[in-house]
């Protein structure tokens, strides 16, 4: 079967910035195996596959190289940028049918803004286990890391400075021990999202990294879902005063990305997190994939 696709750099207004995602139009009918194989073929972190929905404007399935996930941030930005570029959405708002529920996305001045679901605050993690998982001394961690989800769970970990952030390296045995202690179902289900309270540029308020376990690439250039979870953590624990700020990621990879993050509701219990960024459609084409099973 032949499908149209778009390759989009999300959270960037230029080519080769932010985080790339291939959007396969009409591909939601494909088998899990085909979708995962396609992600591996692209060497991207994630790809999306769209289709019709009975409850929203478009159904979106999100895939890593190893599994389907309910939701992801940069692929949502990429999907809407691709739909808009192809004239497949009318107006400046669209509702997506995702595994994490309905996600409303609006466009204002070319800024694509998604409203992530209300954050779920899970268990706190042992700082020593988190430090071991990212090859840092425990005193590099500020406060206590916590499992937080706005559609996809991450172990939100605040670091004391940018030097610590840049020094972090993933330790697979350490990550395995952390995941076992947190009851994660797989090694890639408890990857720490590392953040410092200083931007990579003068514009930014935070700078983050996400180190990833195989078969994914070693590091994610920009992680929209984790950015929402991170923002919820910062607000809840009194580490961020304004109700909106600029989050940056990917600069160390030569793929600078930026998002505007806005809180909906009170700091201690937001009803939603808005994450906004731009999308640059880098490539357009067709792909031949095995028939849906």
């Amino acid at each position: 079967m032949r499908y149209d696709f778009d390759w989009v750099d999300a959270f960037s207004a230029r080519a080769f910035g932010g985080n790339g995602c291939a959007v396969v139009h009409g591909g939601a009918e494909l088998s899990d195996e085909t979708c995962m194989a396609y992600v591996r073929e692209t060497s991207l972190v994630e790809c999306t596959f769209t289709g019709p929905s009975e409850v929203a404007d478009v159904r979106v399935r999100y895939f890593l190289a190893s599994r389907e996930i309910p939701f992801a941030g940069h692929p949502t930005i990429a999907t809407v940028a691709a739909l808009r570029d192809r004239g497949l959405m009318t107006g400046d708002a669209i509702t997506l049918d995702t595994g994490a529920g309905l996600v409303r996305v609006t466009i204002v001045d070319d800024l694509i803004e998604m409203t992530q679901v209300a954050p779920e605050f899970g268990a706190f993690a042992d700082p020593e286990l988190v430090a071991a998982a990212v090859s840092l001394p425990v005193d590099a961690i500020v406060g206590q890391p916590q499992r937080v989800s706005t559609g996809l769970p991450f172990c939100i970990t605040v670091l004391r400075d940018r030097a610590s952030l840049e020094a972090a390296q993933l330790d697979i045995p350490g990550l395995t021990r952390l995941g076992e202690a947190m009851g994660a179902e797989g090694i890639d289900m408890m990857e720490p999202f590392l953040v410092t309270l200083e931007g990579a540029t003068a514009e930014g308020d935070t700078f983050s990294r996400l180190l990833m376990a195989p078969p994914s690439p070693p590091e994610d250039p920009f992680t929209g879902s984790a950015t929402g979870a991170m923002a919820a953590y910062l607000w809840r624990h009194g580490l961020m005063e304004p109700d909106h700020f600029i989050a940056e990621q990917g600069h160390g990879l030569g793929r600078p990305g930026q998002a505007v993050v806005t809180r909906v509701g009170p700091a201690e219990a937001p009803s939603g997190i808005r994450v906004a960024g731009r999308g640059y459609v880098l490539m357009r084409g067709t792909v031949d994939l095995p028939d849906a099973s």
Side-chain angles (χ1 to χ4, degrees):
M1 296 288 290
R2 180 165 293 180
Y3 299 87
D4 291 330
F5 79 92
D6 295 301
W7 188 300
V8 183
D9 288 336
F11 291 108
S12 177
R14 66 170 179 83
F16 316 125
N19 202 349
C21 173
V23 181
V24 180
H25 299 280
E29 63 184 19
L30 291 163
S31 69
D32 292 4
E33 291 73 19
T34 296
C35 293
M36 289 185 290
Y38 180 75
V39 178
R40 292 192 293 270
E41 185 75 8
T42 66
S43 296
L44 292 166
V45 175
E46 291 151 334
C47 297
T48 62
F49 302 80
T50 69
S53 170
E54 296 181 356
V55 296
D57 296 306
V58 180
R59 181 190 179 200
V60 183
R61 298 180 70 193
Y62 301 81
F63 279 88
L64 298 166
S66 58
R67 62 189 170 94
E68 183 174 8
I69 56 177
F71 174 78
H74 91 268
T76 296
I77 299 293
T79 299
V80 173
L83 292 171
R84 188 187 189 205
D85 187 69
R86 285 182 177 267
L88 297 176
M89 62 175 286
T90 58
D92 293 323
I94 190 170
T95 300
L96 306 180
D97 179 5
T98 78
L102 300 182
V103 176
R104 184 71 169 171
V105 182
T106 58
I107 300 174
V108 179
D109 297 328
D110 290 329
L111 202 63
I112 302 170
E113 183 178 74
M114 56 185 160
T115 301
Q116 298 179 4
V117 299
E120 296 181 0
F121 296 93
F124 287 99
D126 183 339
E128 292 190 359
L129 289 177
V130 177
V134 292
S135 308
L136 291 176
V138 70
D139 62 2
I141 296 176
V142 177
Q144 193 164 9
Q146 185 177 16
R147 182 186 179 110
V148 184
S149 174
T150 53
L152 194 65
F154 294 90
C155 183
I156 306 301
T157 305
V158 179
L159 300 182
R160 66 187 178 194
D161 53 34
R162 182 166 174 175
S164 298
L165 181 72
E166 293 173 347
Q169 297 182 33
L170 193 65
D171 181 90
I172 297 299
L175 181 62
T176 301
R177 290 191 293 271
L178 173 64
E180 291 172 348
M182 297 293 288
E185 296 178 359
I187 191 173
D188 59 346
M189 295 291 284
M190 194 42 62
E191 292 160 333
F193 188 66
L194 309 175
V195 58
T196 58
L197 298 176
E198 55 180 304
T201 72
E203 290 182 283
D205 299 295
T206 65
F207 184 30
S208 302
R209 293 180 69 196
L210 179 68
L211 308 177
M212 305 187 75
S216 293
E219 184 170 346
D220 198 23
F222 202 100
T223 319
S225 51
T227 295
M230 172 267 289
Y233 176 98
L234 297 182
W235 282 316
R236 185 180 181 104
H237 295 289
L239 298 174
M240 180 65 67
E241 291 187 9
D243 62 2
H244 68 280
F245 65 91
I246 293 178
E248 296 183 318
Q249 189 180 342
H251 294 64
L253 299 174
R255 298 189 63 91
Q258 191 177 85
V260 179
V261 191
T262 305
R263 187 181 74 236
V264 182
E268 64 276 8
S271 59
I273 306 292
R274 293 175 181 159
V275 179
R278 289 178 168 81
Y280 184 92
V281 181
L282 181 68
M283 289 185 275
R284 305 161 182 83
T286 59
V287 57
D288 292 324
L289 294 171
D291 291 347
S293 62

